[in-house]
Amino acid sequence: MGLWGKRDDMIVHQSEPYNAEPPGEALMHQVTPLDTFYGRNHGPIPHIDAALWRLRVDGLVDRPLELSMEDLQGRFRERTVVATLQCAGNRRAELMRFRDIPGQVPWGPGAVSTARWSGASLADVLAEAGLQAEAAHVAFIGTDVSQGAEPPQPFGGSIPAAKATSSEVLLAWAMNDQALPAAHGAPLRVVVPGWIGARSVKWVQRITVQTVPSENYFQTEYSVLPAEAEPEQTEATDGITLGPIAIHCTIVRPGEGARLHPGATEITGFAFAGDDRTVARVDVSPDGGSSWVHADLDAPENPWTWQHWRITLALPAGATELLARAWDSTAAVQPESLATVWNPRGYSNNSWARVRVTCSH
């Protein structure tokens, strides 16, 4: 067993703070086991005594709250949502090969996983606090402190009040029907389905209702800058702040560089639409984009989860580039080129999935 109870074959990009993703083939289950779920952190993982921990709810509310875990579990109905979380930097390594992105974690396609989350509805907690008329954003602050922030500070961020009061957003204390592990935010974390993982703040200790987005360093750090921008010389308003995930897909099998026999070959992967959209279609090309075939696509369990797909194609002898692209329920499709989506922080790479294989007898 590896760090933080994870499987031995996790691809560990950093041990402190812990940043790791599973190998692609481990992501073909609808729900990701706890030892396989990716880890993304900006500071050391804190250990919190749940008996002493309290959650503050303040700001533009009629009745500020201070809640223990006993309060949360006793006063609010437990709800469960199966939801996929994805790091905004997923597939950054491809962008880095196209053009370097210094100082960033070189995520492959595995910074995405799905769990069964259980806890209190954030909407229910906010309703008990009583949102005031001018409430527009709900900000979260965690307990983990990042020395990489300027200045060093706990991780935080915010979402619009309209999303915060949607039924799918949870204050989760359980993951896959087990107590939330320390590495995933125990005793309590936010889960914001359909949005980048950075908005699902772990080890949450304070929720503040306000008129403007969070001023936390990571609220604006998670934004897409223009390709020509210098990250150290930008203003907070220069980027597009990230929220909902963009449509994308991944080829899981065969893997990059695989050596195969010519002929019938099963190609599998998953696609995720983000926000409240679903994946409508996945196209696969066995010849670098000259022709496309529709893959068999699993129906979504709900709008907040990935969808797995598969197809069997006859591959010729020699080198082949397999491509895959997904369409969502609004008819949005992935962009073709890395050049189209490259940005100086390496976020939101949703260009076509590409895998090169060689077939020989």
Side-chain angles (χ1 to χ4, degrees), residues 37-88:
F37 205 101
Y38 80 98
R40 175 58 171 131
N41 297 286
H42 291 272
I45 292 172
H47 289 277
I48 300 168
D49 186 338
L52 301 177
W53 169 91
R54 297 292 185 271
L55 175 68
R56 289 181 56 197
V57 183
D58 58 16
L60 298 175
V61 296
D62 296 327
R63 297 171 294 278
L65 304 175
E66 184 171 294
L67 302 167
S68 65
M69 281 302 300
E70 185 177 1
D71 293 331
L72 276 167
Q73 294 175 338
R75 288 161 54 179
F76 299 96
R77 181 165 71 90
E78 181 174 286
R79 301 173 185 265
T80 297
V81 175
V82 179
T84 300
L85 294 189
Q86 178 179 299
C87 176

Side-chain angles (χ1 to χ4, degrees), residues 5-25:
K6 297 298 180 180
R7 53 194 290 159
D8 289 333
D9 60 353
M10 292 289 281
I11 302 163
V12 180
H13 298 292
Q14 293 173 291
S15 57
E16 188 66 72
Y18 180 70
N19 286 295
E21 62 184 293
E25 291 207 6

Side-chain angles (χ1 to χ4, degrees), residues 138-153:
V138 177
F140 313 110
I141 289 289
T143 309
D144 53 324
V145 175
S146 172
Q147 296 300 317
E150 299 176 3
Q153 60 194 270

Side-chain angles (χ1 to χ4, degrees), residues 2-333:
L3 291 170
W4 298 104
K6 297 298 180 180
R7 53 194 290 159
D8 289 333
D9 60 353
M10 292 289 281
I11 302 163
V12 180
H13 298 292
Q14 293 173 291
S15 57
E16 188 66 72
Y18 180 70
N19 286 295
E21 62 184 293
E25 291 207 6
L27 295 176
M28 290 305 292
H29 301 285
Q30 178 63 10
V31 171
T32 309
L34 294 183
D35 70 348
T36 303
F37 205 101
Y38 80 98
R40 175 58 171 131
N41 297 286
H42 291 272
I45 292 172
H47 289 277
I48 300 168
D49 186 338
L52 301 177
W53 169 91
R54 297 292 185 271
L55 175 68
R56 289 181 56 197
V57 183
D58 58 16
L60 298 175
V61 296
D62 296 327
R63 297 171 294 278
L65 304 175
E66 184 171 294
L67 302 167
S68 65
M69 281 302 300
E70 185 177 1
D71 293 331
L72 276 167
Q73 294 175 338
R75 288 161 54 179
F76 299 96
R77 181 165 71 90
E78 181 174 286
R79 301 173 185 265
T80 297
V81 175
V82 179
T84 300
L85 294 189
Q86 178 179 299
C87 176
N90 193 48
R91 297 179 60 198
R92 181 185 284 133
E94 298 168 39
L95 294 176
M96 296 173 84
R97 288 192 291 270
F98 176 80
R99 178 179 166 190
D100 193 26
I101 305 172
Q104 296 285 356
V105 178
W107 293 106
V112 53
S113 302
T114 299
R116 183 181 301 105
W117 308 96
S118 299
S121 165
L122 176 59
D124 289 350
V125 174
L126 293 175
E128 176 150 327
L131 292 186
Q132 295 179 2
E134 59 269 41
H137 298 269
V138 177
F140 313 110
I141 289 289
T143 309
D144 53 324
V145 175
S146 172
Q147 296 300 317
E150 299 176 3
Q153 60 194 270
F155 188 90
S158 65
I159 58 176
K163 179 67 175 179
T165 53
S166 298
S167 61
E168 70 275 4
V169 180
L170 295 184
L171 298 174
W173 55 67
M175 185 178 180
N176 292 354
D177 304 318
Q178 299 180 46
L180 191 66
H184 292 289
L188 194 75
R189 69 170 298 162
V190 185
V191 175
V192 184
W195 284 46
I196 63 166
R199 306 308 177 213
S200 292
V201 173
K202 300 191 288 287
W203 310 289
V204 64
Q205 60 178 340
R206 185 177 180 184
I207 298 173
T208 301
V209 182
Q210 49 199 52
T211 59
V212 295
S214 170
E215 295 182 352
N216 186 272
Y217 173 83
F218 293 101
Q219 178 69 14
T220 53
E221 174 68 13
Y222 277 95
S223 62
V224 172
L225 295 171
E228 68 277 7
E230 294 290 340
E232 293 78 18
Q233 300 173 16
T234 57
E235 300 294 331
T237 55
D238 290 343
I240 300 171
T241 302
L242 291 168
I245 296 286
I247 178 71
H248 81 100
C249 70
T250 295
I251 299 172
V252 171
R253 289 193 297 261
E256 174 66 22
R259 293 190 170 274
L260 311 168
H261 293 292
T265 303
E266 185 180 50
I267 303 161
T268 61
F270 59 84
F272 185 37
D275 204 10
D276 59 355
R277 305 180 306 272
T278 55
V279 181
R281 193 174 85 205
V282 174
D283 303 331
V284 180
S285 173
D287 51 21
S290 296
S291 63
W292 297 88
V293 186
H294 300 338
D296 294 325
L297 177 66
D298 289 349
E301 179 163 336
N302 61 49
W304 319 115
T305 63
W306 56 18
Q307 295 165 240
H308 289 84
W309 56 266
R310 65 205 56 78
I311 191 170
T312 299
L313 296 174
L315 300 186
T320 295
E321 184 178 47
L322 302 173
L323 305 178
R325 65 186 182 194
W327 303 72
D328 73 17
S329 49
T330 70
V333 65

